[in-house]
């Protein structure tokens, strides 16, 4: 079972590289990526796309890495031009890794990872590229090999449609090479022990067997639908959700339409209207739990998730809950969001 799951998961990452699977949350997989490739005091470049980029930065700092955190407004994705100029300035090649969150779940922003790869190449820099695809994998097109990603970090509980509890690292040859000389302390997260055991379908410790069975089923679901059809479904549902938000006259957190996330839409409540009070009313009246604003967006925004095993009627129900909630919470808005969304779903 392990051998087939470890092989069949590769097309979802669009890779031929080895993938290790930990019984862990996504945070564990973040840590595994860093401790296997880096040494204490190494410099890493990270970009502030939202709460999860910030948490990854905090984890890197706690591990003793020197982080250059490029600040941003939580409304834009990774700026590849800034990455390129930072790398060009680093003529001594002190930066060992560039870390980016593909889909920032807190702000609903999908960054252009191919552009980040291009920036590293243009700067002729040797830094590793590490990408968090925790909330994008299986919902957005993700290309570990084509984009030259060295470590992809993923988790089970989002696009893979499973409960939490599996953390993934897809590992390039270059990252494996870096692992040979990396001196960060590590034990549980060691890639070498994991890869050695995986060759025969074993693990160096007890795997999350039940979740691996689930993963096998999730892979079958992707195979049945066809990965590109899955991405198209999320694009269609996400666009319908955004049309509803725009028709209500509310503002989407992501300021650049090219970076809209097809996984989650984060929406500002109007000035003076607490997003958590609104969420509370929706929960109380309609038994529907909207995502909260995290970190800097706390109380200012709510999130509509449309990832994973999700379809037209689930979206229609969700948007109905939001529209009724807006009225119940007396949040100024225009009617017609639901019709705008449904029209898009039928037109397509
Ligand atoms: N990165 C992203 C983009 C996430 O959405 C999350 C969780 O929501 C994490 C990292 C952290 O993962 P976990 O909570 O599984 O440790």
């Amino acid at each position: 079972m392990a051998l087939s799951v470890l092989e069949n998961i590769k097309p979802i990452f669009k890779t031929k590289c080895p993938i290790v699977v930990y019984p862990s949350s996504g945070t564990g997989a973040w840590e595994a990526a860093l401790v296997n490739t880096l040494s204490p005091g190494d410099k890493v470049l990270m970009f502030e796309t939202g709460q999860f980029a910030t948490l990854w930065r905090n984890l890197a700092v706690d591990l003793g890495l020197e982080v250059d955190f490029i600040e941003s407004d939580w409304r834009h994705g990774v700026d590849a031009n800034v990455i390129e100029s930072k790398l060009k300035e680093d003529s001594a090649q002190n930066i060992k890794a560039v870390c980016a969150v593909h889909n920032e779940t807190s702000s609903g922003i999908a960054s252009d990872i191919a552009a980040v790869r291009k920036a590293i190449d243009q700067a002729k820099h040797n830094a590793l590229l590490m990408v968090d695809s925790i909330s994008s994998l299986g919902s957005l097109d993700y290309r570990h090999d084509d984009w030259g990603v060295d470590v992809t970090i993923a988790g089970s509980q989002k696009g893979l449609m499973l409960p939490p509890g599996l953390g993934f690292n897809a590992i390039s040859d270059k990252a494996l090479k870096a692992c040979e000389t990396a001196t960060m302390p590590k034990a549980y997260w060691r890639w070498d022990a994991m890869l050695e055991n995986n060759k025969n379908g074993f693990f160096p410790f007890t795997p999350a067997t039940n979740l691996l069975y689930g993963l096998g089923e999730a892979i079958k679901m992707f195979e049945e639908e066809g990965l590109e059809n899955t991405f198209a479904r999320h694009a269609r549902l996400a666009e319908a959700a955004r049309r509803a938000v725009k028709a209500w006259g509310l503002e989407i957190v992501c300021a650049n339409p090219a970076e809209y996330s097809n996984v989650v839409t984060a929406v500002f409540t109007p000035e003076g209207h607490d997003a958590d009070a609104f969420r509370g009313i929706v929960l109380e009246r309609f038994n529907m739990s909207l995502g909260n604003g995290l970190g800097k967006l706390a109380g200012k925004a709510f999130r509509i998730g449309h990832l994973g095993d999700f379809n037209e009627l689930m979206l229609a129900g969700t948007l109905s809950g939001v529209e009724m909630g807006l009225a119940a919470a007396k949040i100024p808005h225009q009617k017609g969001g639901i019709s705008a969304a449904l029209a898009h779903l039928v037109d397509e």
Side-chain angles (χ1 to χ4, degrees), residues 151-174:
V151 189
T152 295
I153 295 107
S156 51
Q157 75 271 28
K158 301 248 172 25
L160 296 181
M161 305 172 283
L162 292 166
L166 295 179
F168 301 81
N169 280 176
I171 310 166
S172 75
D173 286 346
K174 185 172 163 185

Side-chain angles (χ1 to χ4, degrees), residues 119-193:
I120 299 173
D121 294 346
Q122 301 271 30
K124 298 190 174 50
H125 203 286
N126 198 35
L128 295 165
L129 173 59
M130 304 204 197
V131 178
D132 170 337
S133 78
I134 289 175
S135 63
S136 62
L137 193 82
S139 294
L140 303 186
D141 191 13
Y142 185 82
R143 302 170 180 226
H144 179 89
D145 288 359
D146 280 4
W147 295 341
V149 180
D150 293 299
V151 189
T152 295
I153 295 107
S156 51
Q157 75 271 28
K158 301 248 172 25
L160 296 181
M161 305 172 283
L162 292 166
L166 295 179
F168 301 81
N169 280 176
I171 310 166
S172 75
D173 286 346
K174 185 172 163 185
L176 277 178
K177 194 101 199 109
C179 187
E180 288 169 14
T181 50
T183 60
M184 295 280 278
K186 54 191 160 290
Y188 181 79
W189 304 114
R190 292 192 77 96
W191 283 345
D192 51 4

Side-chain angles (χ1 to χ4, degrees), residues 25-28 30 52 101 103-105 132 134-135 157-158:
S25 83
T27 302
W30 268 346
F52 290 104
V101 176
N103 186 77
E104 181 48 83
T105 326
D132 170 337
I134 289 175
S135 63
Q157 75 271 28
K158 301 248 172 25

